[in-house]
Amino acid sequence: PWFENFDMTFGATYYKIEIEDTIIAPGSQFIVNQCYNSTTDNSVFCDLIARDSDGFLDFLNREFFNRDKATAEGIDFNIALDATVTMFGRPVDWELDLALNHSLELSENFINANNESDFEDFQGEWGLPDWQGNLGLRADVGDYRFSWSTRFIGSVAEDPAFEDEFTNIDFDFDSTCFGPDNSFGFPRDLNCRDVSFANDYFLHSASVYYYGDVWTFGAGIRNVFDEAPPKVDPGENFETLNSIGNTPVGYGYDLNGRTYFINIAASFTGLQ
């Protein structure tokens, strides 16, 4: 017990999980991606690729492979608050649950035959934010429950080694930067680069439920503020950013926009 007027619990868990000497079966595309997208320039997967006399890929060795170490490290935080407050002459039971994760490392390490390390930490890249969490707030008034939830995804960015340099279309014909007037006239002197990052993202949902002896009725809104997913350049490195059009997919962002729902349920006791 912390306080007399309300209940509060707090927990924090530090974890560091290391998995050593695991056997993996790399696929063909995985081998190519790991070799050509390595940030250390000494990927062990390049040794699995052979070329013919014309320089084309001739052979990919897909035999079982040793991953020397994989590491996941972080801290989980959990906070719960419960309190009964009299509002408008009626008791209201409030509940708050907060769960946060602070990820510190998510890495892999491979060592080649020359004892050279190919280490990469993916922390902070797409799908692996430094912070993420969920907040739930509930208020019970008689047979009614009002709920509000918020999901948080921290900012992310692709590996700096793959980040484009600032340039303009006069020097880089793959660029989409046409200059300050967005025309094809000269000078096109506005430097830019492809968007490959996302800022903090908050997704809110709300609902209200009535719990009767037999019937339960509920209605709510998912993505209350119609928060769109971040926009990115689809031509960015496919090893670190998966997108369709300008939308990153598979990272927890809402792709449907604001939606509404209604639930109806019945509970019959005593039936055999």
Side-chain angles (χ1 to χ4, degrees):
W2 290 62
F3 306 96
E4 295 182 357
N5 296 330
F6 59 89
D7 295 328
M8 171 180 168
T9 57
F10 172 81
T13 302
Y14 167 79
Y15 61 89
K16 185 173 184 179
I17 303 169
E18 295 181 339
I19 302 175
E20 297 181 346
D21 296 326
T22 56
I23 303 300
I24 63 174
S28 300
Q29 191 62 57
F30 180 82
I31 293 173
V32 175
N33 292 349
Q34 290 294 110
C35 175
Y36 288 96
N37 293 314
S38 173
T39 59
T40 59
D41 294 328
N42 63 343
S43 172
V44 294
F45 291 93
C46 294
D47 298 334
L48 306 180
I49 299 175
R51 293 178 175 274
D52 60 21
S53 58
D54 295 326
F56 292 99
L57 296 184
D58 182 55
F59 179 77
L60 295 174
N61 187 348
R62 292 181 53 189
E63 64 183 7
F64 289 110
F65 201 80
N66 183 68
R67 180 175 60 186
D68 294 272
K69 180 183 286 189
T71 303
E73 181 182 11
I75 306 174
D76 286 325
F77 300 94
N78 296 275
I79 300 175
L81 293 173
D82 298 291
T84 300
V85 180
T86 301
M87 303 176 66
F88 307 106
R90 301 193 61 176
V92 180
D93 296 325
W94 290 91
E95 297 180 22
L96 182 148
D97 291 309
L98 176 64
L100 289 173
N101 171 259
H102 180 39
S103 186
L104 300 172
E105 180 182 346
L106 189 65
S107 64
E108 288 185 332
N109 189 35
F110 295 89
I111 300 176
N112 64 16
N114 297 322
N115 205 33
E116 296 174 323
S117 176
D118 182 17
F119 173 84
E120 186 168 1
D121 189 356
F122 304 98
Q123 185 55 49
E125 298 178 20
W126 286 91
L128 303 169
D130 293 336
W131 287 94
Q132 58 183 323
N134 293 280
L135 171 68
L137 181 63
R138 295 173 294 278
D140 291 333
V141 185
D143 295 330
Y144 292 88
R145 167 170 287 186
F146 302 87
S147 300
W148 181 274
S149 64
T150 298
R151 182 156 55 93
F152 165 67
I153 302 175
S155 60
V156 292
E158 73 171 342
D159 193 302
F162 301 123
E163 194 173 76
D164 296 331
E165 297 290 339
F166 277 103
T167 185
N168 61 60
I169 198 170
D170 290 328
F171 299 97
D172 182 1
F173 290 103
D174 293 328
S175 173
T176 57
C177 184
F178 291 99
D181 59 358
N182 250 351
S183 68
F184 289 92
F186 292 95
R188 294 193 290 260
D189 57 357
L190 180 63
N191 288 328
C192 67
R193 62 185 176 193
D194 296 333
V195 176
S196 58
F197 63 89
N199 296 322
D200 294 342
Y201 182 83
F202 294 88
L203 188 69
H204 308 278
S205 299
S207 65
V208 57
Y209 274 80
Y210 166 76
Y211 296 93
D213 294 333
V214 176
W215 293 95
T216 298
F217 300 92
I221 307 174
R222 298 185 181 95
N223 195 352
V224 173
F225 301 112
D226 200 20
E227 185 69 24
K231 288 183 171 59
V232 296
D233 190 289
E236 281 303 278
N237 186 277
F238 61 87
E239 175 72 10
T240 59
L241 174 55
N242 181 35
S243 65
I244 298 177
N246 293 111
T247 303
V249 294
Y251 304 108
Y253 303 110
D254 182 71
L255 306 179
N256 299 316
R258 184 189 295 117
T259 58
Y260 304 88
F261 67 89
I262 296 176
N263 291 328
I264 300 176
S267 176
F268 301 98
T269 60
L271 297 180
Q272 300 296 327

